[in-house]
Amino acid sequence: MKAYRFLTADDTSAFCHKVTAALNNGWELYGDPTYAHDATTGVMRCGQAVTKEAEGTYTADTKLGEL
């Protein structure tokens, strides 16, 4: 199966670490990163889609972060 995740976080080094961890666990970047202002919290937020080929069959119960 091909899995898809959209990683998000505030614009801090924690976001870079989250994406780096995903890449080191076999996920691949998918598309361009996004960057937007969160008016509720007043901070900038980052987002990056990642995909991964994984064994098994996808179901709604699949825990994508554990692939």
Side-chain angles (χ1 to χ4, degrees):
M1 83 170 147
K2 186 160 200 161
Y4 171 92
R5 292 174 66 196
F6 187 70
L7 306 174
T8 62
D10 290 348
D11 182 22
T12 66
S13 62
F15 174 74
C16 295
H17 288 286
K18 183 186 278 192
V19 174
T20 299
L23 295 174
N24 281 282
N25 285 316
W27 293 84
E28 296 182 9
L29 298 177
Y30 182 83
D32 294 329
T34 60
Y35 194 63
H37 183 259
D38 183 339
T40 303
T41 60
V43 299
M44 295 302 289
R45 303 257 317 154
C46 300
Q48 175 64 59
V50 292
T51 61
K52 181 178 186 179
E53 285 293 334
E55 293 187 19
T57 302
Y58 172 78
T59 69
D61 295 326
T62 302
K63 302 216 183 292
L64 299 173
E66 296 177 6
L67 294 179

